[in-house]
Amino acid sequence: MLSLLLLKLSAFVLWTSLLTVLLLVLQRRSAPLLQWPTLYWWLLLLASVPLWPQWQWPVAILLPQTFWLDATQQMGQLTATAQHPALVTWQPMELLYQALLAVLVLGAIWQLWRLVRQYLRLRTLYQQSQPVAPTALFTVEATAFEQQIPSLDPRLEQMQIRQHNLALSPFIFGGRQAVLMLPAYYWQFNNQQRALLLAHELQHWQRRDPWQLLGWRMVVAVCWFNPALRYVERSFGQAMELTVDRQVLAVQPEQAQLYGLTLISSLKLCQQQAQPGLASFIQASGDEAGYRQRLAALFQTSGFDNRLRVWLPTLLLSLALGLNIGCSALQGQLGPSGEWQLPVAQAKVNSGYGTVSPFRQNRPHQGIDFDGHSGDPVFASADGVVLIADNHSLHPRFGNIVLLDHGQGYQTLYAHLDSFSVQSGTRVNAGQQIGAVGASGVATGPHLHFELLHQGQQLDPTPLLQWDR
């Protein structure tokens, strides 16, 4: 299970990296498409496909119904074979998997703790800040009187407004009630610039961007081992800011130049007293490169076709489901790697797979009968775990049987044994003796009845067996 989990996580990292490369290509060819923040949530969904469960029901034992006589009392023991004492042995690879998983979990805990510490710093900043009345957000200019004061947005009445002394861009945080945090340098701007800054933050609040950004921070913290996600997160933050810029200027396009000057001034003031810990927690893109991209976008048309908002999510969701279902189907059809060993030393076949005989009421044979003498050794065809080793769990016609599980839904059945030398729960290696040829159950003479099953369905084992011995 641990090896499968680590394999899924590795596929998650590789698949996310591939999608990130695709983003880099799209940035050169279709930049307007990447300025849609919702796109990155859909890409995150697509990137998580390797972590999705496969479309199958994992069970301890899957056998055709005709095999069973009365297995009700056996199921509790058989489905708990993973807890069998014989399996609790020191395995170097298993220990390595556990160590790697421990590193991943501890790394995620550490990253989440860093987020908690940043949030606690934010709470401390909130407690040290001073409340501001909405009516004090604008200054009455003596030269222009009341005409210079912009109208107060009613949304400001629905939140707390506070002032702090750190060099941070204005931001909104909070749970049930939003809090608008304004830096001291806010009062250095004129009324028009203040109105633009407030409109920007109110647009973030209306779009629930602070909570989306926190969600991305948590995803990146948990998946700290996947560096490609950090790039996707930064791209999301940049797209979020570009979208808000466009929405602010859509109402007042004549303010584009003043809005750009305000962004530059805010960046310079923040760089004078940088607060990297808090800034990285509350701001999507506070670096100079991000500001340059935003300034360039202020004077460009978006070129974004709104029809993409309908069919692109549908396309990405269909692709994610198709990949998951396709991988599930591929996994179900893939056979075991390599060739399996013959279960007996002499590969003389009495009855092949699919053979019709009156002895079986003309029903196709579901396995291979190997000729032999009583007491001839029977070997495990591949590495596996013993699920059953008795003469009563399956139908009496099989006699003494051994059922091995090889993983990925594959099992092999060895029937009509004279005796068996393994017990339920033990691990066996390919070529290890597990019993002896016999004629127990309903048999015309000593032989081994061998079956290969996948997800409870009998398969022809002939193509898998290594016949040249």
Side-chain angles (χ1 to χ4, degrees):
M1 289 297 294
L2 288 180
S3 60
L4 179 60
L5 175 60
L6 293 175
L7 180 62
K8 284 178 171 287
L9 292 176
S10 301
F12 173 51
V13 173
L14 293 175
W15 178 233
T16 308
S17 302
L18 180 61
L19 291 177
T20 304
V21 173
L22 179 61
L23 277 180
L24 291 172
V25 174
L26 288 176
Q27 280 182 343
R28 300 177 181 273
R29 297 180 177 272
S30 182
L33 175 62
L34 302 183
Q35 297 174 10
W36 181 38
T38 309
L39 169 68
Y40 297 92
W41 286 110
W42 287 107
L43 285 178
L44 177 61
L45 175 68
L46 183 59
S48 66
V49 168
L51 303 179
W52 292 12
Q54 300 296 315
W55 291 75
Q56 61 185 22
W57 292 98
V59 294
I61 298 178
L62 281 174
L63 288 175
Q65 192 65 31
T66 56
F67 278 22
W68 298 97
L69 178 61
D70 184 9
T72 304
Q73 297 180 354
Q74 304 293 325
M75 288 305 296
Q77 174 188 359
L78 297 177
T79 56
T81 53
Q83 304 298 324
H84 194 281
L87 296 178
V88 186
T89 57
W90 185 79
Q91 298 289 337
M93 290 304 298
E94 192 71 17
L95 186 62
L96 176 61
Y97 295 151
Q98 293 176 359
L100 289 176
L101 183 61
V103 170
L104 294 179
V105 173
L106 291 176
I109 293 175
W110 170 248
Q111 295 295 331
L112 289 173
W113 171 240
R114 290 182 59 188
L115 284 182
V116 172
R117 289 178 57 190
Q118 291 172 349
Y119 178 77
L120 292 177
R121 290 182 59 189
L122 202 60
R123 292 291 302 177
T124 301
L125 180 64
Y126 167 78
Q127 294 169 357
Q128 296 173 349
S129 62
Q130 302 297 322
V132 176
T135 54
L137 292 174
F138 301 107
T139 304
V140 178
E141 301 288 346
T143 56
F145 301 100
E146 299 293 337
Q147 290 81 358
Q148 286 269 332
I149 303 179
S151 59
L152 191 65
D153 195 306
R155 291 176 293 182
L156 293 170
E157 302 288 347
Q158 304 177 26
M159 60 181 63
Q160 295 185 48
I161 306 174
R162 303 182 74 90
Q163 175 191 332
H164 61 85
N165 295 321
L166 296 183
L168 296 170
S169 298
F171 64 92
I172 290 180
F173 85 106
R176 288 175 296 181
Q177 184 177 18
V179 180
L180 173 60
M181 300 289 287
L182 297 176
Y185 71 73
Y186 167 84
W187 313 104
Q188 299 179 23
F189 293 112
N190 61 40
N191 284 337
Q192 289 182 327
Q193 290 177 307
R194 296 179 192 177
L196 290 172
L197 289 174
L198 292 175
H200 182 92
E201 295 306 321
L202 289 174
Q203 199 63 40
H204 274 311
W205 175 67
Q206 184 172 332
R207 291 169 43 83
R208 300 295 185 264
D209 285 340
W211 294 271
Q212 291 193 63
L213 194 59
L214 177 60
W216 271 104
R217 298 284 192 259
M218 295 179 67
V219 169
V220 171
V222 173
C223 303
W224 63 273
F225 53 89
N226 191 346
L229 274 182
R230 296 185 182 275
Y231 177 81
V232 180
E233 178 215 7
R234 289 195 297 268
S235 299
F236 164 80
Q238 191 66 24
M240 180 181 69
E241 294 294 347
L242 292 173
T243 299
V244 170
D245 291 342
R246 288 196 304 268
Q247 292 175 343
V248 170
L249 294 181
V251 180
Q252 39 193 342
E254 71 283 355
Q255 300 286 355
Q257 186 173 3
L258 180 61
Y259 187 74
L261 292 175
T262 305
L263 291 179
I264 295 175
S265 300
S266 178
L267 174 63
K268 291 180 179 179
L269 291 169
C270 290
Q271 288 179 336
Q272 292 175 1
Q273 296 178 338
Q275 302 288 331
L278 283 178
S280 62
F281 183 74
I282 62 176
Q283 297 175 359
S285 57
D287 58 345
E288 188 173 351
Y291 271 80
R292 285 201 302 267
Q293 184 178 356
R294 291 172 62 184
L295 290 173
L298 293 179
F299 306 97
Q300 298 174 355
T301 57
S302 67
F304 183 76
D305 190 348
N306 286 326
R307 291 177 297 180
L308 292 175
R309 301 180 188 272
V310 178
W311 68 261
L312 188 58
T314 303
L315 176 63
L316 292 178
L317 180 59
S318 301
L319 179 59
L321 291 174
L323 286 173
N324 181 249
I325 295 174
C327 291
S328 301
L330 182 62
Q331 184 185 41
Q333 294 180 8
L334 284 178
S337 58
E339 293 181 324
W340 288 18
Q341 298 185 21
L342 286 171
V344 291
Q346 301 296 326
K348 182 179 180 181
V349 177
N350 286 341
S351 178
Y353 180 86
T355 303
V356 177
S357 171
F359 181 74
R360 290 181 291 271
Q361 290 77 45
N362 294 321
R363 290 177 299 184
H365 195 205
Q366 298 299 318
I368 297 178
D369 287 345
F370 291 97
D371 190 19
H373 299 89
S374 293
D376 288 350
V378 174
F379 309 102
S381 289
D383 298 345
V385 177
V386 180
L387 292 181
I388 302 176
D390 58 37
N391 61 356
H392 58 269
S393 293
L394 302 187
H395 197 282
R397 70 174 183 269
F398 289 107
N400 294 323
I401 62 98
V402 171
L403 179 68
L404 301 182
D405 184 86
H406 307 285
Q408 297 184 346
Y410 286 92
Q411 297 167 350
T412 50
L413 175 68
Y414 310 77
H416 305 305
L417 300 177
D418 181 68
S419 62
F420 43 84
S421 55
V422 292
Q423 60 182 351
S424 176
T426 57
R427 291 184 180 273
V428 296
N429 298 321
Q432 178 180 334
Q433 183 174 351
I434 58 176
V437 172
S440 58
V442 181
T444 57
H447 73 282
L448 171 68
H449 176 77
F450 175 79
E451 292 193 14
L452 171 68
L453 303 102
H454 181 258
Q455 301 296 344
Q457 300 296 321
Q458 290 108 332
L459 304 177
D460 183 4
T462 305
L464 291 177
L465 294 176
Q466 184 177 354
W467 293 91
D468 297 328
R469 293 179 62 92

